[in-house]
Amino acid sequence: MDESTAIDRVEELAEEFGIQIRYEAINLDEELTHITGGLCQLRGKYLIIINSRSTMRERIQALVEALNHFDLDQVYIRPAVRKLLDREADPSITLNTTEEKHSRLNESGDGESCRGFK
């Protein structure tokens, strides 16, 4: 699967989970620092913010890492996309259920948090 198709499929999967995706320029004081983006919870809704200056590969990786915070077994995922998710998955994410993953995302307790920004 080419990168263009891969990002389309992963974006569709995020939408199935009700996750909004925004591509925005992330400006930092240091020009040498590059932030790709990550998953946020804002006012009880999930949002993936991705740096519009990121490469297609980085965008796919950020989406995959964000999706791995959800229980991907609850929806049908095309085999090619499942393979991509498995290959690109962050090995440090070991939680099994969506609730456990969400509670870890919202460790701040204020209903708003971000994870995965790098």
Side-chain angles (χ1 to χ4, degrees), residues 23-89:
Y23 293 94
E24 298 183 7
I26 298 175
N27 298 316
L28 300 172
D29 292 338
E30 300 283 331
E31 285 297 319
L32 299 176
T33 305
H34 178 76
I35 303 288
T36 300
L39 178 66
C40 294
Q41 186 177 23
L42 183 62
R43 297 183 190 109
K45 300 197 183 223
Y46 289 97
L47 167 68
I48 301 172
I49 301 172
I50 298 177
N51 191 341
S52 58
R53 297 179 184 138
S54 296
T55 66
M56 186 71 73
R57 180 109 221 77
E58 291 170 329
R59 292 175 185 201
I60 293 168
Q61 181 66 33
L63 287 164
V64 167
E65 287 178 14
L67 283 167
N68 277 305
H69 286 277
F70 295 84
D71 184 2
L72 299 175
D73 293 331
Q74 70 179 348
V75 297
Y76 172 76
I77 300 174
R78 298 174 192 213
V81 175
R82 176 71 68 183
K83 185 176 179 179
L84 174 69
L85 291 168
D86 291 343
R87 186 178 68 229
E88 299 292 332

